[in-house]
Amino acid sequence: MHSLNLGILAHVDAGKTSLTERLLHTVGIIDEIGSVDDGSTQTDSLALERRRGITIKSAVVSFETGGVTVDLIDTPGHPDFIAEVERVLGVLDGAVLVVSAVEGVQAQTRVLMRTLRRLRIPTLVFVNKIDRRGADTDRVLRAVSDRLTPAIVPLGTVRGLGTRAARVMPYAEPAPGLLDLLTAHDDGLLAAYVRDGTVPPGRLRAALAEQTARCLVHPVLFGSAMTGAGVDDLVRCIGELLPAAPGRPEGPVSGTVFKVERGAAGERIAYARMFSGTVRTRDVLAFGDGSVRREGRVTGVEVFARGAARRDTSVTAGRIGRLRGLGGIRIGDTIGVPRERVAEFADAAPAGRHHFSPPTLETVVVPRRPADKGALHTALTRLAEQDPLIGLRQDPVRQEISVSLYGEVQKEVLQATLAEEFGLDVGFRGTTTLCVERPVGSGEAAEFNGEDTNPFLATVGLRVDPAPAGAGTAFRREVELGSMPYAFFRAVEDTVREALGQGVHGWQVVDCTVTMTHCGYSPRQSHAHQGFDKSMSSTGADFRGLTPLVLMAALRRAGTRVHEPVHRFRLEAPADTLGVLLPVLAALGAVPGTTRTHGTSCVLEGTVPAARVHGLEQRLPGLTGGEGELETVFDHYAPLARGAVPQRSRTDRNPLDRKEYLLNVARRMGG
């Protein structure tokens, strides 16, 4: 039996979780359909999800259809929880993108479809809520074609649209436009049609499946999760049109962890998609993120069957399993060999690559009871394990903890989670925008072992060079690898990567190359009949202590410039409000790109600083008589154009101030 890992994705409130419930009912997994409003759905298992009626954490259920075992992953729709969606994308074989027949294509729908197409994940589009008043499938199809992709083919039409009696009527094959769409990518199919004047339905269906699998075509289906209309057709198309999961059970073990949760005893349980090989109970596995590798013994395996996780002896290639016993495992870790080193996945993107934008907001979490500071740090550390895109930052001087977030809803959920799961009552300081720093030139610095001003038994020289935008950070060496123990090189590299989290102005440094230009150490010293003498011998602590001083000196000489996050926006409003909107956009620092007019409406597209998005959202209803629609998505970082350069408080013992830094290091080491 083939397997398929299927993601259900959508903008918030498009009916994604309700569709999941209907699918499970249609295939016989559940006898009664749960309700999002009543908090009785299968996949929204958290109390907070049931109470708020939104999906916060991804969930896995399983069913079988047409000889295919489907591991179905329900993902959050709210943009504040896009990190959950990101983790799921790397383990999918196919997706169903849900669009409301009433609200149509929305901002998150566009973000998701762009990402699905970029990652070449085969996708079916399901237009939901055909039974709702205001449903308009023609308008939605035009929007899907204009704003998502023109490579769509509707596989039916709707009767009784906008009523409880709405039904889906499949087209007599071929569906309108199907032949033209398929022959554009298949010369053989075109030749057969020209020769015979027709194409057998079986060959058309096979061509549709083949081109859907190659992401050349996106079939569109219609239906209602509430009434069940069209869901049988969706189930059939999932089994027939989406490709089975590749991978050989007898191949090398390779998997990716996309979710980690805690068991009843606090142990970590890893959700892993297996791309190759077979993992069995009691196997010893290597796992990690590439830079750090660990080993652990699997003490338990669970696979998903008929809607629930069930204990098993193994999980094989193509399936999702829950693995117990791998202490220290984190989201994004590779199990066994990286996927791109397995023949079937040679073209796969490297593990850990982000598909969505990073969080651009930060807030300080404050416990209502001062005595809870330690418990708060423990709780936030545990939550950060489950969400790698949310950074945790502790300021030991001010004894404050900051977290980076995507939006205000996420802040509310974090507050409720800390209260319900950890019994902590917390508040928040004001939300600030997260900037980054980029080097503007090159700079070098070095400190040598034995110099009076260098209290560390180490020589470190570093050069900082700017890199193209989006290149990330890289560490290189111009010194011979054998010139000192490898552990000391590793200590320098790890410390460089950590220290780049706070540049000259306190922001994370991005898009640069750091090159090690000098190195040196004091060999291990001991006296006859005596042990190791630390006072005369270099240790890793010497290199970890000296590296931040050298790096900050090099960064200062290179110079850095603070960049703020900028969003791309699309604003649709009545055409007669354009004269009022343009001055407001200019005052907010927005840069309009294109303006199009359609009848009485106009569409403006451009960029706006992320810090001004909330202000624009608040003013838009008054400026447009409540008729303006705004979509924004992170686009890039741009140099700050005006105002004072924002400074971020440091949490790294301040290597920019040599005296303060050395005193702090001495205190930390008990000197």
Side-chain angles (χ1 to χ4, degrees), residues 151-167:
I152 60 171
V153 53
L155 298 185
T157 186
V158 180
R159 288 185 182 173
L161 184 64
T163 71
R164 292 286 293 181
R167 293 292 180 268

Side-chain angles (χ1 to χ4, degrees), residues 360 433-437 506-508 562-565 637 640 646 648:
T360 57
T433 303
L434 278 173
C435 298
V436 299
E437 293 181 48
W507 305 101
Q508 181 183 4
V562 176
H563 290 60
E564 64 178 338
Y637 288 98
L640 278 165
R648 191 186 192 200

Side-chain angles (χ1 to χ4, degrees), residues 278-291:
T278 300
V279 172
R280 299 175 177 84
T281 304
R282 293 187 293 278
D283 280 355
V284 176
L285 296 179
F287 59 90
D289 62 2
S291 60

Side-chain angles (χ1 to χ4, degrees), residues 184-465:
H185 304 288
D186 189 334
D187 291 341
L189 193 66
L190 177 60
Y193 176 69
V194 171
R195 183 183 65 246
D196 303 329
T198 185
V199 178
R203 182 167 181 182
L204 269 181
R205 197 75 178 179
L208 177 59
E210 187 266 338
Q211 293 193 27
T212 299
R214 293 167 56 197
C215 303
L216 299 174
V217 174
H218 300 285
V220 179
L221 300 105
F222 304 94
S224 167
M226 297 305 293
T227 67
V231 176
D232 284 331
D233 292 334
L234 176 61
V235 171
R236 178 174 52 83
C237 287
I238 288 171
E240 293 180 2
L241 300 182
L242 295 179
R248 295 175 294 115
E250 69 278 7
V253 170
S254 177
T256 297
V257 177
F258 67 93
K259 179 178 179 178
V260 174
E261 64 183 20
R262 294 277 183 166
E267 76 281 12
R268 299 190 192 191
I269 304 172
Y271 286 67
R273 155 71 192 271
M274 300 307 303
F275 293 101
S276 175
T278 300
V279 172
R280 299 175 177 84
T281 304
R282 293 187 293 278
D283 280 355
V284 176
L285 296 179
F287 59 90
D289 62 2
S291 60
V292 179
R293 299 289 285 176
R294 296 176 292 276
E295 282 193 349
R297 185 181 299 277
V298 178
T299 59
V301 174
E302 297 171 29
V303 296
F304 292 89
R306 295 196 60 78
R310 304 179 188 277
R311 186 170 290 275
D312 206 329
T313 58
S314 64
V315 56
T316 60
R319 296 300 309 276
I320 290 173
R322 300 206 316 172
L323 307 180
R324 298 174 182 264
L326 304 179
I329 198 163
R330 292 177 59 87
I331 292 169
D333 278 359
T334 293
I335 294 174
V337 301
R339 175 173 49 154
E340 56 268 24
R341 285 168 49 189
V342 178
E344 298 95 314
F345 302 95
D347 296 330
R353 178 181 174 186
H354 293 327
H355 309 308
F356 294 104
S357 62
T360 57
L361 301 175
E362 185 175 57
T363 185
V364 175
V365 188
V366 182
R368 308 283 190 194
R369 299 182 295 269
D372 285 342
K373 285 183 178 179
L376 176 60
H377 181 266
T378 301
L380 288 172
T381 300
R382 181 171 292 188
L383 293 177
E385 291 174 358
Q386 303 170 19
D387 200 337
L389 287 186
I390 293 181
L392 183 63
R393 188 170 180 266
Q394 187 169 21
D395 185 339
V397 177
R398 297 171 181 79
Q399 295 189 334
E400 294 178 345
I401 304 174
S402 302
V403 293
S404 49
L405 303 167
Y406 282 93
E408 295 298 317
V409 172
Q410 193 178 9
K411 185 193 292 186
E412 296 171 18
V413 168
L414 178 62
Q415 185 178 42
T417 301
L418 289 170
E420 294 180 4
E421 296 188 15
F422 301 95
L424 296 171
D425 184 14
V426 302
F428 300 94
R429 300 257 178 87
T431 302
T432 59
T433 303
L434 278 173
C435 298
V436 299
E437 293 181 48
R438 286 193 175 116
V440 296
S442 297
E444 287 190 61
E447 300 222 11
F448 296 91
N449 189 5
E451 290 183 342
D452 291 341
T453 56
N454 179 9
F456 303 100
L457 296 179
T459 293
V460 174
L462 298 172
R463 183 177 69 249
V464 176
D465 297 301

Side-chain angles (χ1 to χ4, degrees), residues 451-491:
E451 290 183 342
D452 291 341
T453 56
N454 179 9
F456 303 100
L457 296 179
T459 293
V460 174
L462 298 172
R463 183 177 69 249
V464 176
D465 297 301
T473 57
F475 180 84
R476 298 193 173 98
R477 286 183 291 268
E478 288 182 353
V479 293
E480 293 292 335
L481 190 58
S483 57
M484 69 178 186
Y486 178 73
F488 295 162
F489 284 113
R490 191 76 211 187

